[in-house]
Amino acid sequence: MSWDPFEELPELSPSLPAYLQDAPAALRSYGELSYNSRAKCWVIRGEPSVCQMAKRLFPGCSGKTRGQARFALGRRSAGDLNWLMMRYPLTIRPRDRERWEQALEQARAYAIQREQARLAPQSLTPPPAYFKGELMDFQKEGAAYLCNTPRALLADEMGLGKTVQALGAVAALQAYPLLLVVPSHLMRGWEREIARFLQNEDGSPPSVHVLHGLTPYELPPAQIYIVHYLLLRGWKQALLRYGFRMVIFDEIQELRHAGTEKYSAASLLSDRCERVAGLSGTPIYNRGGEIWNVINILDFHALGDFESFSREWCYGYGNNLVADPALLGQTLKEEGLMLRRTKEQVLDQLPPKRRLVQEIDADEESYQSLLQPALAKLDDLAGAQTNFDRSRIEEEICQQVRLATGVAKAPYVAAFVKALLEAGERVLLFAHHHRVMDRYKQLLRAEHPVFITGRESTAEKDEAAARFMEGRTDLCCVSLRAAAGLNLQRASCVVFGELDWSPAVHTQAEDRAHRMGQRDSVLCYYMVSSSGSDAQMQEALGLKVSQFVQLMGDATPSQEQTLLMQVEARAYVRQIAQRLLQARGAAGAG
């Protein structure tokens, strides 16, 4: 199948930078340049003047031996070496001449590509044979950036679709086998998005294997492998054998601390892989050591060694605080290391309100414990004599299952909310049960949340709303059925930790943050788990897949529609009870 992934571009002919031009012929040589295959570096053996200059000028240059300077292999080091040789010509060892010419050509191609992207970002439409979704214009540019930049950080603000952009690049490149390294609470989400957006040419989904346990085993054949960060230390050496074409580190800020086995394993993976992408909505410019560690995973010593980085970019040698974060961010972009777009920059492409389904894990032990009262009522349900009694008991069972689901999800909802707050979002967190709210209060205590749950006095409710609207806190937890009449439009994100049967209840809750005429685009996350009541409630609400579209109508339902929804909800309540009965029957038969 022939296809052209790149839309037509204007004719651009960026000139080659002077430092990458051919060095002029020289009458004398200041030393010899050779390649050390074991250390993977270029080595200068030359006069003191050239070695001294190399070590003074280039942060990535090392070598304590007198008369010797080493440059780690890379596109930037080739350009630095060529620049140095314009002033101090070197004799290239004959057996390394071809390797040097290839390295210099790669550096030139990268410089031109980077300038082309700066002048007119390319736009990629993934081939329909491999990609089932539709990308917005800025997402097409992000996918093209990942295709064109073998080692890159996609740092779009949260909610702009970094996952789908990465999958668009994977589809275009057919970069299999692919390794995804993700936080544990996002593994299910990646599996779901892969199934939604990617396909093979015959229409089948890519084969996926999720790694489990710290003890390595022989991996089965698959196109995509998923591992979470906490397992990397156990698989440190084993993963190197599989020849992954691409590694994607989701939430790469997980690697902001060096010196751990997790970091060491990620560094080895990056070194062995031809393509490495990092995804993060929270690039950390202000903490020098952290951003240096992250970039070092993607492109070794692209920011020089840490000593020189901290001396020049931070408040002195060894200091961890960047003096000018904006300038560092600009430099990362200009060097082609990072692409970042904020919501404000692409607001004209976004709908006023976006709904996303976020699948998360649940604490199975907690769920089973809280499920016991519901299981105890199954005998009562089996012996019910009237439809009224049967409906009453089914409702009691459903309420207990919903409570168990909400409490079991709470730790993972809290982790997700923390990530949003770290990214600078202002969050409304909605739930139904007081017990779930109490768990949020424990889990999110450090975020100083305020609560509007129906248990507060009018004065306390007003004070909570004022604290949020005045910016004294960025997290407000609100009961789903207590949202009426609240004005909380400072929020940039709405998170539903629990679901309600009625779409109108969710719409009303969303409208606490979004008002007619508001220019901002509010992002609404629906947190769902494969355990408990969420499957039936998703079905009732029409929340089938994760996507940037309207999933439910925003118009106020008519009386007839309301009655119909109540009938449908009644049917789903019955399904929850019947599912428990079937599960108990299957367990007894086993």
Side-chain angles (χ1 to χ4, degrees), residues 532-559:
S533 59
D534 279 354
Q536 278 72 34
M537 301 191 80
Q538 276 183 266
E539 188 74 26
L541 294 169
L543 296 170
K544 305 289 183 60
V545 291
S546 169
Q547 52 188 345
F548 280 90
V549 298
Q550 297 286 10
L551 292 168
M552 300 174 294
D554 287 327
T556 302
S558 65
Q559 184 176 4

PDB file of all heavy atoms in Angstrom, residues 532-559:
ATOM      1  N   GLY A 532     -16.609  -3.973  39.543  1.00  0.00           N
ATOM      2  CA  GLY A 532     -17.758  -3.344  40.172  1.00  0.00           C
ATOM      3  C   GLY A 532     -18.823  -2.855  39.224  1.00  0.00           C
ATOM      4  O   GLY A 532     -19.100  -3.450  38.187  1.00  0.00           O
ATOM      5  N   SER A 533     -19.404  -1.698  39.563  1.00  0.00           N
ATOM      6  CA  SER A 533     -20.599  -1.203  38.883  1.00  0.00           C
ATOM      7  C   SER A 533     -20.305  -0.348  37.661  1.00  0.00           C
ATOM      8  O   SER A 533     -21.226   0.006  36.924  1.00  0.00           O
ATOM      9  CB  SER A 533     -21.441  -0.377  39.873  1.00  0.00           C
ATOM     10  OG  SER A 533     -20.664   0.707  40.376  1.00  0.00           O
ATOM     11  N   ASP A 534     -19.039  -0.009  37.420  1.00  0.00           N
ATOM     12  CA  ASP A 534     -18.739   0.959  36.363  1.00  0.00           C
ATOM     13  C   ASP A 534     -19.151   0.486  34.976  1.00  0.00           C
ATOM     14  O   ASP A 534     -19.563   1.288  34.133  1.00  0.00           O
ATOM     15  CB  ASP A 534     -17.247   1.307  36.369  1.00  0.00           C
ATOM     16  CG  ASP A 534     -16.910   2.349  37.425  1.00  0.00           C
ATOM     17  OD1 ASP A 534     -17.847   2.861  38.050  1.00  0.00           O
ATOM     18  OD2 ASP A 534     -15.718   2.621  37.623  1.00  0.00           O
ATOM     19  N   ALA A 535     -19.013  -0.818  34.700  1.00  0.00           N
ATOM     20  CA  ALA A 535     -19.343  -1.309  33.358  1.00  0.00           C
ATOM     21  C   ALA A 535     -20.796  -1.009  33.014  1.00  0.00           C
ATOM     22  O   ALA A 535     -21.109  -0.514  31.916  1.00  0.00           O
ATOM     23  CB  ALA A 535     -19.062  -2.809  33.269  1.00  0.00           C
ATOM     24  N   GLN A 536     -21.723  -1.288  33.951  1.00  0.00           N
ATOM     25  CA  GLN A 536     -23.148  -1.024  33.695  1.00  0.00           C
ATOM     26  C   GLN A 536     -23.420   0.475  33.629  1.00  0.00           C
ATOM     27  O   GLN A 536     -24.224   0.933  32.811  1.00  0.00           O
ATOM     28  CB  GLN A 536     -24.016  -1.668  34.786  1.00  0.00           C
ATOM     29  CG  GLN A 536     -24.297  -3.153  34.584  1.00  0.00           C
ATOM     30  CD  GLN A 536     -23.058  -4.001  34.836  1.00  0.00           C
ATOM     31  OE1 GLN A 536     -22.245  -3.669  35.703  1.00  0.00           O
ATOM     32  NE2 GLN A 536     -22.900  -5.072  34.083  1.00  0.00           N
ATOM     33  N   MET A 537     -22.755   1.248  34.478  1.00  0.00           N
ATOM     34  CA  MET A 537     -23.010   2.690  34.490  1.00  0.00           C
ATOM     35  C   MET A 537     -22.439   3.345  33.230  1.00  0.00           C
ATOM     36  O   MET A 537     -23.032   4.291  32.684  1.00  0.00           O
ATOM     37  CB  MET A 537     -22.437   3.311  35.764  1.00  0.00           C
ATOM     38  CG  MET A 537     -23.039   2.708  37.025  1.00  0.00           C
ATOM     39  SD  MET A 537     -22.643   3.595  38.533  1.00  0.00           S
ATOM     40  CE  MET A 537     -23.817   4.946  38.461  1.00  0.00           C
ATOM     41  N   GLN A 538     -21.295   2.862  32.752  1.00  0.00           N
ATOM     42  CA  GLN A 538     -20.771   3.344  31.475  1.00  0.00           C
ATOM     43  C   GLN A 538     -21.776   3.082  30.363  1.00  0.00           C
ATOM     44  O   GLN A 538     -22.014   3.935  29.502  1.00  0.00           O
ATOM     45  CB  GLN A 538     -19.473   2.618  31.121  1.00  0.00           C
ATOM     46  CG  GLN A 538     -18.219   3.185  31.748  1.00  0.00           C
ATOM     47  CD  GLN A 538     -17.014   2.418  31.252  1.00  0.00           C
ATOM     48  OE1 GLN A 538     -16.566   1.473  31.897  1.00  0.00           O
ATOM     49  NE2 GLN A 538     -16.505   2.801  30.109  1.00  0.00           N
ATOM     50  N   GLU A 539     -22.320   1.882  30.354  1.00  0.00           N
ATOM     51  CA  GLU A 539     -23.282   1.517  29.318  1.00  0.00           C
ATOM     52  C   GLU A 539     -24.495   2.444  29.376  1.00  0.00           C
ATOM     53  O   GLU A 539     -24.985   2.928  28.352  1.00  0.00           O
ATOM     54  CB  GLU A 539     -23.716   0.066  29.509  1.00  0.00           C
ATOM     55  CG  GLU A 539     -24.568  -0.492  28.392  1.00  0.00           C
ATOM     56  CD  GLU A 539     -23.776  -0.782  27.128  1.00  0.00           C
ATOM     57  OE1 GLU A 539     -22.561  -1.018  27.232  1.00  0.00           O
ATOM     58  OE2 GLU A 539     -24.385  -0.761  26.046  1.00  0.00           O
ATOM     59  N   ALA A 540     -24.965   2.718  30.578  1.00  0.00           N
ATOM     60  CA  ALA A 540     -26.139   3.576  30.737  1.00  0.00           C
ATOM     61  C   ALA A 540     -25.861   4.998  30.255  1.00  0.00           C
ATOM     62  O   ALA A 540     -26.732   5.665  29.695  1.00  0.00           O
ATOM     63  CB  ALA A 540     -26.574   3.596  32.200  1.00  0.00           C
ATOM     64  N   LEU A 541     -24.641   5.465  30.477  1.00  0.00           N
ATOM     65  CA  LEU A 541     -24.280   6.838  30.108  1.00  0.00           C
ATOM     66  C   LEU A 541     -23.784   6.956  28.680  1.00  0.00           C
ATOM     67  O   LEU A 541     -23.603   8.065  28.167  1.00  0.00           O
ATOM     68  CB  LEU A 541     -23.198   7.365  31.064  1.00  0.00           C
ATOM     69  CG  LEU A 541     -23.622   7.546  32.528  1.00  0.00           C
ATOM     70  CD1 LEU A 541     -22.408   7.808  33.397  1.00  0.00           C
ATOM     71  CD2 LEU A 541     -24.629   8.682  32.656  1.00  0.00           C
ATOM     72  N   GLY A 542     -23.495   5.828  28.023  1.00  0.00           N
ATOM     73  CA  GLY A 542     -22.930   5.885  26.675  1.00  0.00           C
ATOM     74  C   GLY A 542     -21.452   6.178  26.670  1.00  0.00           C
ATOM     75  O   GLY A 542     -20.902   6.622  25.664  1.00  0.00           O
ATOM     76  N   LEU A 543     -20.793   5.919  27.805  1.00  0.00           N
ATOM     77  CA  LEU A 543     -19.352   6.182  27.888  1.00  0.00           C
ATOM     78  C   LEU A 543     -18.601   4.933  27.442  1.00  0.00           C
ATOM     79  O   LEU A 543     -18.098   4.163  28.245  1.00  0.00           O
ATOM     80  CB  LEU A 543     -18.958   6.547  29.320  1.00  0.00           C
ATOM     81  CG  LEU A 543     -19.566   7.830  29.876  1.00  0.00           C
ATOM     82  CD1 LEU A 543     -19.286   7.942  31.363  1.00  0.00           C
ATOM     83  CD2 LEU A 543     -19.016   9.040  29.153  1.00  0.00           C
ATOM     84  N   LYS A 544     -18.513   4.720  26.129  1.00  0.00           N
ATOM     85  CA  LYS A 544     -17.948   3.480  25.608  1.00  0.00           C
ATOM     86  C   LYS A 544     -16.435   3.555  25.435  1.00  0.00           C
ATOM     87  O   LYS A 544     -15.728   2.587  25.657  1.00  0.00           O
ATOM     88  CB  LYS A 544     -18.577   3.150  24.254  1.00  0.00           C
ATOM     89  CG  LYS A 544     -20.100   3.085  24.286  1.00  0.00           C
ATOM     90  CD  LYS A 544     -20.583   1.857  25.024  1.00  0.00           C
ATOM     91  CE  LYS A 544     -22.087   1.777  24.982  1.00  0.00           C
ATOM     92  NZ  LYS A 544     -22.649   1.689  23.633  1.00  0.00           N
ATOM     93  N   VAL A 545     -15.955   4.682  24.962  1.00  0.00           N
ATOM     94  CA  VAL A 545     -14.539   4.762  24.582  1.00  0.00           C
ATOM     95  C   VAL A 545     -13.970   6.100  25.005  1.00  0.00           C
ATOM     96  O   VAL A 545     -14.693   7.049  25.307  1.00  0.00           O
ATOM     97  CB  VAL A 545     -14.354   4.599  23.058  1.00  0.00           C
ATOM     98  CG1 VAL A 545     -14.686   3.190  22.626  1.00  0.00           C
ATOM     99  CG2 VAL A 545     -15.200   5.598  22.294  1.00  0.00           C
ATOM    100  N   SER A 546     -12.659   6.181  25.016  1.00  0.00           N
ATOM    101  CA  SER A 546     -11.977   7.441  25.314  1.00  0.00           C
ATOM    102  C   SER A 546     -11.837   8.229  24.020  1.00  0.00           C
ATOM    103  O   SER A 546     -11.269   7.735  23.055  1.00  0.00           O
ATOM    104  CB  SER A 546     -10.599   7.142  25.893  1.00  0.00           C
ATOM    105  OG  SER A 546      -9.828   8.303  25.958  1.00  0.00           O
ATOM    106  N   GLN A 547     -12.353   9.438  23.994  1.00  0.00           N
ATOM    107  CA  GLN A 547     -12.279  10.222  22.765  1.00  0.00           C
ATOM    108  C   GLN A 547     -12.530  11.698  23.052  1.00  0.00           C
ATOM    109  O   GLN A 547     -13.112  12.059  24.056  1.00  0.00           O
ATOM    110  CB  GLN A 547     -13.284   9.704  21.735  1.00  0.00           C
ATOM    111  CG  GLN A 547     -14.703   9.580  22.278  1.00  0.00           C
ATOM    112  CD  GLN A 547     -15.613   8.887  21.303  1.00  0.00           C
ATOM    113  OE1 GLN A 547     -15.279   8.749  20.139  1.00  0.00           O
ATOM    114  NE2 GLN A 547     -16.771   8.479  21.754  1.00  0.00           N
ATOM    115  N   PHE A 548     -12.086  12.542  22.115  1.00  0.00           N
ATOM    116  CA  PHE A 548     -12.253  13.983  22.245  1.00  0.00           C
ATOM    117  C   PHE A 548     -13.563  14.417  21.583  1.00  0.00           C
ATOM    118  O   PHE A 548     -13.580  15.208  20.663  1.00  0.00           O
ATOM    119  CB  PHE A 548     -11.094  14.709  21.564  1.00  0.00           C
ATOM    120  CG  PHE A 548      -9.851  14.775  22.383  1.00  0.00           C
ATOM    121  CD1 PHE A 548      -8.899  13.783  22.291  1.00  0.00           C
ATOM    122  CD2 PHE A 548      -9.607  15.819  23.248  1.00  0.00           C
ATOM    123  CE1 PHE A 548      -7.743  13.838  23.038  1.00  0.00           C
ATOM    124  CE2 PHE A 548      -8.461  15.877  24.010  1.00  0.00           C
ATOM    125  CZ  PHE A 548      -7.521  14.883  23.892  1.00  0.00           C
ATOM    126  N   VAL A 549     -14.676  13.873  22.001  1.00  0.00           N
ATOM    127  CA  VAL A 549     -15.954  14.248  21.409  1.00  0.00           C
ATOM    128  C   VAL A 549     -17.003  14.344  22.502  1.00  0.00           C
ATOM    129  O   VAL A 549     -16.800  13.899  23.622  1.00  0.00           O
ATOM    130  CB  VAL A 549     -16.427  13.221  20.347  1.00  0.00           C
ATOM    131  CG1 VAL A 549     -15.458  13.122  19.200  1.00  0.00           C
ATOM    132  CG2 VAL A 549     -16.636  11.859  20.979  1.00  0.00           C
ATOM    133  N   GLN A 550     -18.129  14.896  22.147  1.00  0.00           N
ATOM    134  CA  GLN A 550     -19.252  14.923  23.079  1.00  0.00           C
ATOM    135  C   GLN A 550     -19.802  13.504  23.189  1.00  0.00           C
ATOM    136  O   GLN A 550     -20.140  12.880  22.186  1.00  0.00           O
ATOM    137  CB  GLN A 550     -20.352  15.861  22.557  1.00  0.00           C
ATOM    138  CG  GLN A 550     -19.924  17.312  22.432  1.00  0.00           C
ATOM    139  CD  GLN A 550     -19.804  18.006  23.779  1.00  0.00           C
ATOM    140  OE1 GLN A 550     -19.863  17.370  24.812  1.00  0.00           O
ATOM    141  NE2 GLN A 550     -19.636  19.299  23.755  1.00  0.00           N
ATOM    142  N   LEU A 551     -19.891  13.001  24.383  1.00  0.00           N
ATOM    143  CA  LEU A 551     -20.367  11.636  24.589  1.00  0.00           C
ATOM    144  C   LEU A 551     -21.816  11.609  25.050  1.00  0.00           C
ATOM    145  O   LEU A 551     -22.477  10.586  24.949  1.00  0.00           O
ATOM    146  CB  LEU A 551     -19.497  10.928  25.629  1.00  0.00           C
ATOM    147  CG  LEU A 551     -18.072  10.648  25.172  1.00  0.00           C
ATOM    148  CD1 LEU A 551     -17.221  10.227  26.358  1.00  0.00           C
ATOM    149  CD2 LEU A 551     -18.056   9.554  24.132  1.00  0.00           C
ATOM    150  N   MET A 552     -22.293  12.709  25.597  1.00  0.00           N
ATOM    151  CA  MET A 552     -23.668  12.757  26.092  1.00  0.00           C
ATOM    152  C   MET A 552     -24.285  14.085  25.674  1.00  0.00           C
ATOM    153  O   MET A 552     -23.586  15.076  25.498  1.00  0.00           O
ATOM    154  CB  MET A 552     -23.685  12.644  27.627  1.00  0.00           C
ATOM    155  CG  MET A 552     -23.072  11.358  28.160  1.00  0.00           C
ATOM    156  SD  MET A 552     -22.955  11.369  29.955  1.00  0.00           S
ATOM    157  CE  MET A 552     -21.760  12.662  30.219  1.00  0.00           C
ATOM    158  N   GLY A 553     -25.591  14.084  25.500  1.00  0.00           N
ATOM    159  CA  GLY A 553     -26.252  15.325  25.145  1.00  0.00           C
ATOM    160  C   GLY A 553     -26.215  16.329  26.276  1.00  0.00           C
ATOM    161  O   GLY A 553     -26.284  15.958  27.446  1.00  0.00           O
ATOM    162  N   ASP A 554     -26.105  17.615  25.945  1.00  0.00           N
ATOM    163  CA  ASP A 554     -26.043  18.654  26.961  1.00  0.00           C
ATOM    164  C   ASP A 554     -27.401  19.322  27.195  1.00  0.00           C
ATOM    165  O   ASP A 554     -27.544  20.130  28.104  1.00  0.00           O
ATOM    166  CB  ASP A 554     -25.020  19.722  26.558  1.00  0.00           C
ATOM    167  CG  ASP A 554     -23.594  19.206  26.696  1.00  0.00           C
ATOM    168  OD1 ASP A 554     -23.354  18.403  27.611  1.00  0.00           O
ATOM    169  OD2 ASP A 554     -22.752  19.599  25.885  1.00  0.00           O
ATOM    170  N   ALA A 555     -28.362  19.005  26.344  1.00  0.00           N
ATOM    171  CA  ALA A 555     -29.680  19.625  26.517  1.00  0.00           C
ATOM    172  C   ALA A 555     -30.385  19.018  27.730  1.00  0.00           C
ATOM    173  O   ALA A 555     -30.205  17.842  28.048  1.00  0.00           O
ATOM    174  CB  ALA A 555     -30.526  19.417  25.262  1.00  0.00           C
ATOM    175  N   THR A 556     -31.195  19.839  28.416  1.00  0.00           N
ATOM    176  CA  THR A 556     -31.962  19.333  29.564  1.00  0.00           C
ATOM    177  C   THR A 556     -32.979  18.311  29.062  1.00  0.00           C
ATOM    178  O   THR A 556     -33.756  18.596  28.149  1.00  0.00           O
ATOM    179  CB  THR A 556     -32.699  20.484  30.263  1.00  0.00           C
ATOM    180  OG1 THR A 556     -31.739  21.452  30.682  1.00  0.00           O
ATOM    181  CG2 THR A 556     -33.472  19.967  31.465  1.00  0.00           C
ATOM    182  N   PRO A 557     -32.986  17.080  29.621  1.00  0.00           N
ATOM    183  CA  PRO A 557     -33.899  16.054  29.120  1.00  0.00           C
ATOM    184  C   PRO A 557     -35.352  16.407  29.422  1.00  0.00           C
ATOM    185  O   PRO A 557     -35.661  17.030  30.443  1.00  0.00           O
ATOM    186  CB  PRO A 557     -33.464  14.790  29.880  1.00  0.00           C
ATOM    187  CG  PRO A 557     -32.790  15.291  31.114  1.00  0.00           C
ATOM    188  CD  PRO A 557     -32.141  16.586  30.723  1.00  0.00           C
ATOM    189  N   SER A 558     -36.215  15.995  28.522  1.00  0.00           N
ATOM    190  CA  SER A 558     -37.650  16.198  28.741  1.00  0.00           C
ATOM    191  C   SER A 558     -38.136  15.229  29.819  1.00  0.00           C
ATOM    192  O   SER A 558     -37.428  14.308  30.224  1.00  0.00           O
ATOM    193  CB  SER A 558     -38.414  15.946  27.437  1.00  0.00           C
ATOM    194  OG  SER A 558     -38.274  14.580  27.064  1.00  0.00           O
ATOM    195  N   GLN A 559     -39.405  15.438  30.265  1.00  0.00           N
ATOM    196  CA  GLN A 559     -39.963  14.546  31.278  1.00  0.00           C
ATOM    197  C   GLN A 559     -40.032  13.109  30.754  1.00  0.00           C
ATOM    198  O   GLN A 559     -39.735  12.151  31.471  1.00  0.00           O
ATOM    199  CB  GLN A 559     -41.359  15.023  31.677  1.00  0.00           C
ATOM    200  CG  GLN A 559     -41.984  14.205  32.819  1.00  0.00           C
ATOM    201  CD  GLN A 559     -43.321  14.764  33.259  1.00  0.00           C
ATOM    202  OE1 GLN A 559     -43.827  15.708  32.677  1.00  0.00           O
ATOM    203  NE2 GLN A 559     -43.901  14.167  34.285  1.00  0.00           N
TER     204      GLN A 559
END
